[in-house]
């Protein structure tokens, strides 16, 4: 809940990965590439005096200024534009991913199919589920969002549901939104972790390759649900303008979700150091495994220092563990004596060495 403290330390990186758009003059930027369609922009606002942020998609009618349209669309929601500084200090960040309990590391989202356009039908839920999977499947992030099933609740934070109350549920629904230019909205709390979404039934929606593509918009909105802001990267899902059908997270989106919710590092240890002699060579094999699961760790970079008679023999050497978690070091023309191995470093993607290794000597 303590977003101000949690987020204060990550402002610099957030600005780089996902919030650059806010340092640009407009909270709505970008050009339209959907031929024959008016430009669609996304903008974020805050309701003064309330614990609420809203993200909207708004259609810019021909000849209209997109910033004016965004301001007007936000005003329809009772909100004013959000500045970059405000976003980085008050944005939603789900606390369950940073507490000491791993069993609660997920967000649950429910779907209300009432009022779904006939052109969308049951495919609306499928599209939403795809986007939940897309954000969940980022391997470098532990962010997880699950389908909680169907609901008849009106997404409580959405203005058109009345009252804008926190009901403890993250709901998605189809509503006739009051602004004729607003394609969809996502509301989130700033202190209370809750996110509700609605798409406007007054537009033409498609799940079969036409615009506006439901999954593309759900994917962007579920980025806001995760706590991401807009990106200046025109390829990113979190770019604040509907460009075309795009149902795949891009590098910038992956960087953003990874920054907010990085996967916890796996604790690894060295459980075995084996020696063998082949002709004049001394082979030293180091095995790396995960402490908790016992699984062998491949691709880890291991640096050792071989000692003979208690003093370093040669310099440190580095190798990479194979698929069995082993890395072999070969000392050619090894003289007779008592050898020990000091493991200096173990590094690799998302692993953290516990510093332990066996110290049993080997006599050649
Ligand atoms: Ca947790
Ligand atoms: Ca709700
Ligand atoms: Zn947006």
């Amino acid at each position: 809940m303590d977003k101000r403290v949690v987020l204060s330390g990550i402002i610099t990186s957030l600005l780089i990965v996902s919030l650059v758009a806010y340092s640009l003059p407009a909270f709505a930027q970008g050009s339209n590439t959907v031929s024959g369609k008016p430009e669609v922009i996304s903008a974020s606002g805050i309701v003064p005096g309330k614990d609420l942020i809203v993200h909207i998609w708004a259609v810019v009618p021909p000849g209209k200024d997109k910033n004016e349209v965004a301001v007007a669309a936000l005003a329809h929601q009772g909100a004013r534009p959000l500045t970059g500084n405000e976003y980085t200090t008050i944005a939603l960040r789900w606390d369950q991913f940073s507490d000491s309990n791993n069993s609660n590391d997920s967000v649950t989202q429910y779907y209300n199919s009432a009022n779904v356009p006939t052109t969308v039908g049951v495919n609306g839920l499928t599209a939403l589920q795809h986007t939940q999977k897309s954000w969940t499947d980022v391997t470098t992030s532990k962010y997880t969002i699950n389908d909680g099933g169907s609901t008849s609740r009106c997404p409580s934070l959405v203005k058109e549901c009345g009252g804008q109350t926190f009901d403890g549920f993250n709901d998605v629904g189809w509503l006739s939104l009051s602004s004729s230019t607003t394609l969809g909205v996502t509301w989130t709390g700033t202190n209370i972790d809750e996110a509700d979404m609605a798409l406007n039934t007054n537009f033409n929606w498609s799940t079969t390759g036409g615009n506006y593509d439901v999954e593309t918009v759900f994917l962007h909105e579920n980025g806001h649900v995760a706590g991401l802001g807009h990106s200046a990267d025109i390829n990113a899902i979190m770019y604040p303008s509907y460009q075309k059908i795009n149902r795949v997270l891009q590098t910038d989106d992956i960087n953003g979700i990874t920054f907010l919710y990085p996967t916890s590092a796996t604790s690894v240890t060295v459980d075995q150091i084996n020696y063998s002699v082949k002709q004049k060579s001394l082979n030293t094999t180091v095995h790396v495994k995960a402490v908790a699961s016992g699984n062998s760790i491949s691709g880890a970079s291991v640096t050792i220092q071989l000692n003979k008679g208690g003093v370093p023999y040669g310099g440190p050497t580095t190798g990479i563990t194979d698929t069995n978690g082993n890395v072999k070091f070969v000392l050619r023309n090894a003289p007779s004596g008592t050898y020990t191995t000091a493991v200096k470093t173990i590094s690799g993607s998302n692993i953290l060495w516990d510093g332990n290794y066996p110290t049993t000597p080997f006599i050649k």
Side-chain angles (χ1 to χ4, degrees):
M1 306 284 181
D2 196 0
K3 302 304 178 302
R4 283 161 188 85
V5 174
V6 171
L7 283 168
S8 62
I10 63 167
I11 288 173
T12 308
S13 296
L14 265 182
L15 282 170
I16 294 168
V17 298
S18 64
L19 293 172
V20 177
Y22 286 108
S23 63
L24 300 173
F27 32 91
Q29 53 127 17
S31 59
N32 178 41
T33 58
V34 183
S35 60
K37 293 273 186 183
E39 181 171 6
V40 177
I41 53 169
S42 188
S44 301
I46 185 167
V47 181
K50 285 196 181 178
D51 175 27
L52 284 172
I53 291 177
V54 62
H55 306 276
I56 60 161
W57 282 102
V59 175
V60 183
K64 295 280 186 181
D65 178 83
K66 58 184 160 190
N67 288 333
E68 288 176 11
V69 169
V71 169
L74 287 172
H76 256 279
Q77 304 295 333
R80 64 159 173 80
L82 197 58
T83 68
N85 276 348
E86 282 179 324
Y87 194 84
T88 50
T89 50
I90 64 179
L92 171 66
R93 195 189 217 194
W94 298 89
D95 293 338
Q96 61 265 42
F97 297 100
S98 57
D99 63 14
S100 55
N101 176 7
N102 289 332
S103 69
N104 63 2
D105 285 359
S106 65
V107 172
T108 303
Q109 187 172 57
Y110 301 83
Y111 179 70
N112 185 339
S113 63
N115 312 316
V116 66
T118 52
T119 54
V120 175
V122 294
N123 294 331
L125 175 59
T126 308
L128 183 67
Q129 289 169 331
H130 281 170
T131 71
Q132 292 162 347
K133 182 168 163 48
S134 294
W135 285 110
T136 297
D137 283 356
V138 175
T139 55
T140 49
S141 170
K142 62 176 157 184
Y143 182 74
T144 300
I145 180 165
N146 294 320
D147 177 15
S150 62
T151 180
S152 58
R153 289 181 297 270
C154 196
S156 63
L157 296 177
V158 176
K159 194 157 174 271
E160 283 77 0
C161 291
Q164 294 192 287
T165 54
F166 291 90
D167 66 355
F169 294 101
N170 311 301
D171 294 332
V172 176
W174 296 87
L175 294 170
S176 176
L177 298 177
S178 64
S179 166
S180 61
T181 62
T182 300
L183 200 62
V185 292
T186 293
W187 286 91
T188 63
T190 56
N191 286 310
I192 298 172
D193 292 349
E194 185 170 327
D196 288 327
M197 189 194 305
L199 297 193
N200 193 345
T201 53
N202 299 316
F203 283 87
N204 290 324
W205 292 97
S206 172
T207 58
T208 55
N211 294 309
Y212 299 104
D213 181 61
V214 174
E215 185 169 336
T216 301
V217 174
F218 275 154
L219 190 57
H220 178 100
E221 293 305 308
N222 259 337
H224 288 315
V225 168
L228 290 176
H230 287 144
S231 169
D233 181 344
I234 196 168
N235 296 310
I237 288 293
M238 296 315 292
Y239 189 71
S241 171
Y242 184 101
Q243 298 293 309
K244 61 185 179 204
I245 298 170
N246 189 351
R247 301 172 178 174
V248 180
L249 295 182
Q250 304 296 306
T251 301
D252 187 73
D253 306 305
I254 290 167
N255 288 346
I257 196 75
T258 301
F259 186 83
L260 283 181
Y261 311 100
T263 306
S264 305
T266 301
S267 178
V268 302
T269 194
V270 174
D271 60 327
Q272 287 178 41
I273 299 179
N274 293 314
Y275 301 90
S276 63
V277 173
K278 190 173 183 188
Q279 295 170 335
K280 291 181 181 175
S281 294
L282 172 66
N283 297 334
T284 304
T285 302
V286 175
H287 182 251
V288 180
K289 72 169 190 179
V291 173
S293 66
N295 293 338
S296 296
I297 301 293
S298 63
S301 176
V302 178
T303 300
I304 65 160
Q305 173 64 58
L306 206 58
N307 299 305
K308 179 173 169 290
V311 296
Y313 190 81
T317 43
T318 300
I320 307 289
T321 57
D322 62 17
T323 52
N324 295 316
N326 290 317
V327 53
K328 185 167 85 171
F329 301 91
V330 180
L331 177 65
R332 301 190 192 286
N333 296 314
S336 299
T338 300
Y339 289 88
T340 56
T341 298
V343 178
K344 295 298 188 184
T345 62
I346 299 178
S347 60
S349 175
N350 213 32
I351 59 171
L352 189 66
W353 177 39
D354 68 358
N356 296 325
Y357 58 89
T359 55
T360 313
F362 177 76
I363 299 169
K364 178 178 187 283

